[in-house]
Amino acid sequence: MSEGNMNLTLKVWRQKNQKQKGELVTYPVSNVSPDMSFLEMFDVLNEDLVEKGQEPIAFDHDCREGICGMCSMFINGRPHGPKEGITTCQLHMRSFKDGDTVVVEPWRATAFPVIKDLVVDRSAFDRIIAAGGFISVNTGNAQDANALPIAKEDADKSFEAAACIGCGACVATCKNASAMLFVSAKVSQLALLPQGQPERYSRVQNMVEQMDKEGFGNCTNTGACEVECPKGISLENIARMNRDYLVAKAAH
Amino acid sequence: MSSSSSFFTSSLGRKFVMGITGIFLITFLIVHVGVNAMVFLDSSGELFNTAAHFMGTNWLIRSMEFVLFAGIILHIVQSVVLTRANKAARPEGYAVSGSNVNSKWYSRSMGLLGTLILMFLIIHLCHFWVEARFGIWGGIPEGTVAGTHDMFAQMKIIFSNPIIVAVYVLAMISLSYHLMHGFQSAFQSLGLNHYKYTPAIKAIGIWYSIIVPVLFALMPLYVHFVINK
């Protein structure tokens, strides 16, 4: 074992499919480089499993640079592991110590059923977006950017909300499996811009209605989502959504 | 275009009701603690009895009693509906929970703290309100003016029992933590989050959740250890 490398005990959720019950299975992993990402460590473990003729662990991953939001792993009780402001692919093994036991579970929510092992079905988010997370514009050339004045502060806030990658960490960590942070970010990014105004109040109603239909929980303002969000989406967005929803129901 | 779903059965609408009834109950506590404070100003209990008599007979206060009970019931009913929905949203929990890192324990225990407060409320209502209105267990001693209640005397009787004093004090600890999260959370649920005002709301919330329960808790202690001596 080269210097600085470590041996870990992994406890990983294994579940064949949506129907069958799953369980935590223990895997010793040796000679893990601290420079590996958490996903690379899983790659190594999976190669090992394949060589042994065992079924590799299914897990979601895509860009491996923190922008796609696929790598949904609940590591030692926290989405994307012990560090804040990062996704699982940006988590490095130097965040762990030799001899550590690491428990890896899938996102847990009725609205996110487990497909296999650590892979969950997050299409509930897609249906919420389809319910209203868009603007309707005629096609054609984009107009000159300066033709539409937008206050810097609003542009910044909209951009911050738009940083949401839809990873589902907010749902995963919320004690109520609530999707408010996600939905409020998607409502806010458009509510803050002039292009989002024509559909502002129908959008918030439709998206909230879809969110409720999907079976997500309610917000108790614990603030856990904001802490665990890899993109630092603020609770201010939830308040904005609450406000817009109230106005929408009262006057639209 | 308006969607067909109703505001009051939606997740956000229910949270709105929780918030607005919460703020209403917070304002009630100010009135209640204000009346209680009369005991500290006048240990003969006369001032307190005058205040209690006003609260028990004034028509405006009496009609607000119905609003108050409605507020409490709505707050409880919504919390039960919301809690059940929250449990259904995650039937299978995690093997390891790191929630202590990302949120305060009392923000995650509002249901438990609220249940403790409800249990206390029932005991507390039996001690004073039920006795004053219905006199089931012998009623409240008569005041110096015929037909009035000597609530101060009733207090001295109730708080002569150290176990009851302890129950009241422990309930106020639950109330303090419930308010510690509930005060600022109510404003967030109503959509009132603004960089100019939210820091002040949070600061006032913390002071309120300490001062009001402490004042409440001091009263049974004062009656038991000072007045009854």
Side-chain angles (χ1 to χ4, degrees):
Chain A
M1 194 163 93
S2 52
E3 204 176 338
N5 283 12
M6 51 191 147
N7 297 327
L8 299 170
T9 306
L10 243 60
K11 289 187 173 178
V12 184
W13 186 261
R14 301 302 308 262
Q15 184 172 340
K16 265 208 152 49
N17 54 47
Q18 219 163 315
K19 298 263 155 37
Q20 268 170 302
K21 272 183 87 81
E23 58 173 352
L24 284 172
V25 177
T26 307
Y27 299 100
V29 195
S30 51
N31 206 14
V32 174
S33 158
D35 298 328
M36 279 179 183
S37 82
F38 201 83
L39 297 185
E40 283 164 348
M41 186 266 296
F42 258 74
D43 293 337
V44 171
L45 170 63
N46 269 347
E47 275 173 27
D48 216 38
L49 289 177
V50 171
E51 267 176 35
K52 285 184 200 155
Q54 294 176 24
E55 176 97 8
I57 301 161
F59 63 96
D60 264 334
H61 60 102
D62 191 12
C63 74
R64 300 210 176 195
E65 55 183 12
I67 56 170
C68 78
M70 284 305 281
C71 45
S72 52
M73 285 187 187
F74 205 79
I75 303 159
N76 282 348
R78 300 183 67 188
H80 305 134
K83 291 276 163 84
E84 277 161 27
I86 54 166
T87 52
T88 308
C89 60
Q90 294 170 303
L91 175 68
H92 286 80
M93 296 317 293
R94 54 181 167 265
S95 302
F96 299 89
K97 291 193 307 289
D98 186 40
D100 275 359
T101 298
V102 185
V103 180
V104 188
E105 300 172 81
W107 286 177
R108 296 271 185 221
T110 304
F112 289 165
V114 173
I115 297 171
K116 187 178 183 179
D117 298 339
L118 301 172
V119 179
V120 297
D121 179 1
R122 280 171 289 187
S123 52
F125 272 8
D126 300 335
R127 290 188 290 274
I128 293 172
I129 294 294
F134 50 80
I135 55 166
S136 305
V137 285
N138 295 324
T139 53
N141 283 342
Q143 62 176 321
D144 186 276
N146 292 326
L148 208 55
I150 301 169
K152 172 83 166 74
E153 194 181 292
D154 290 338
D156 285 350
K157 286 202 159 160
S158 172
F159 188 80
E160 283 164 18
C164 169
I165 52 176
C167 64
C170 46
V171 175
T173 196
C174 175
K175 77 184 249 292
N176 310 321
S178 168
M180 300 280 178
L181 195 68
F182 166 78
V183 180
S184 70
K186 299 303 177 189
V187 164
S188 288
Q189 62 181 4
L190 299 175
L192 285 158
L193 297 179
Q195 292 92 334
Q197 297 313 307
E199 291 151 304
R200 180 172 183 174
Y201 294 105
S202 58
R203 175 183 308 115
V204 68
Q205 291 187 65
N206 293 334
M207 291 180 79
V208 169
E209 193 180 341
Q210 189 62 37
M211 169 180 78
D212 289 352
K213 265 189 211 155
E214 298 290 348
F216 290 106
N218 305 287
C219 179
T220 41
N221 305 323
T222 68
C225 53
E226 188 184 48
V227 174
E228 300 294 6
C229 175
K231 299 298 159 186
I233 304 294
S234 161
L235 288 181
E236 269 177 56
N237 293 303
I238 299 184
R240 185 178 295 105
M241 174 174 69
N242 292 347
R243 240 171 11 240
D244 276 13
Y245 187 72
L246 180 63
V247 172
K249 284 294 182 193
H252 290 267
Chain B
M1 189 191 71
S2 180
S3 126
S4 59
S5 67
S6 158
F7 176 74
F8 290 103
T9 54
S10 70
S11 54
L12 266 52
R14 288 188 191 281
K15 288 305 299 180
F16 179 85
V17 173
M18 280 305 278
I20 207 121
T21 50
I23 288 173
F24 169 64
L25 295 173
I26 283 169
T27 59
F28 157 73
L29 289 182
I30 297 174
V31 178
H32 192 328
V33 85
V35 173
N36 282 17
M38 303 295 166
V39 173
F40 305 119
L41 297 177
D42 170 19
S43 57
S44 76
E46 218 169 299
L47 193 58
F48 175 76
N49 271 344
T50 312
H53 181 72
F54 170 78
M55 297 303 286
T57 50
N58 181 277
W59 67 269
L60 186 66
I61 304 287
R62 288 301 303 277
S63 21
M64 279 308 283
E65 211 170 275
F66 292 103
V67 184
L68 178 60
F69 275 109
I72 293 170
I73 290 166
L74 255 172
H75 196 74
I76 294 169
V77 169
Q78 292 296 352
S79 75
V80 170
V81 174
L82 287 164
T83 305
R84 287 174 63 112
N86 293 342
K87 291 267 182 279
R90 177 172 298 133
E92 185 167 11
Y94 292 105
V96 182
S97 165
S99 51
N100 275 328
V101 186
N102 57 37
S103 54
K104 299 270 192 293
W105 71 267
Y106 50 85
S107 76
R108 302 190 305 270
S109 315
M110 291 299 275
L112 173 70
L113 292 167
T115 308
L116 290 173
I117 294 167
L118 175 63
M119 283 157 63
F120 160 75
L121 191 61
I122 293 167
I123 297 170
H124 175 54
L125 284 173
C126 288
H127 283 158
F128 297 100
W129 185 81
V130 174
E131 280 296 70
R133 290 277 175 276
F134 309 106
I136 294 174
W137 301 283
I140 310 271
E142 193 168 38
T144 41
V145 181
T148 62
H149 288 139
D150 190 351
M151 290 302 267
F152 189 66
Q154 175 73 358
M155 227 161 60
K156 287 195 278 192
I157 299 167
I158 296 288
F159 296 141
S160 62
N161 184 342
I163 295 168
I164 291 179
V165 173
V167 166
Y168 272 63
V169 171
L170 289 173
M172 288 311 108
I173 295 172
S174 305
L175 177 67
S176 176
Y177 279 114
H178 196 75
L179 288 168
M180 197 77 83
H181 177 67
F183 193 104
Q184 51 90 19
S185 176
F187 287 89
Q188 169 80 2
S189 291
L190 301 185
L192 301 172
N193 181 324
H194 192 277
Y195 71 96
K196 276 188 180 171
Y197 307 108
T198 300
I201 290 170
K202 287 190 173 171
I204 292 167
I206 290 169
W207 282 108
Y208 183 96
S209 346
I210 296 167
I211 293 169
V212 170
V214 164
L215 280 175
F216 273 127
L218 278 177
M219 188 160 123
L221 290 170
Y222 182 65
V223 171
H224 184 80
F225 290 108
V226 180
I227 294 190
N228 273 356
K229 274 286 163 295

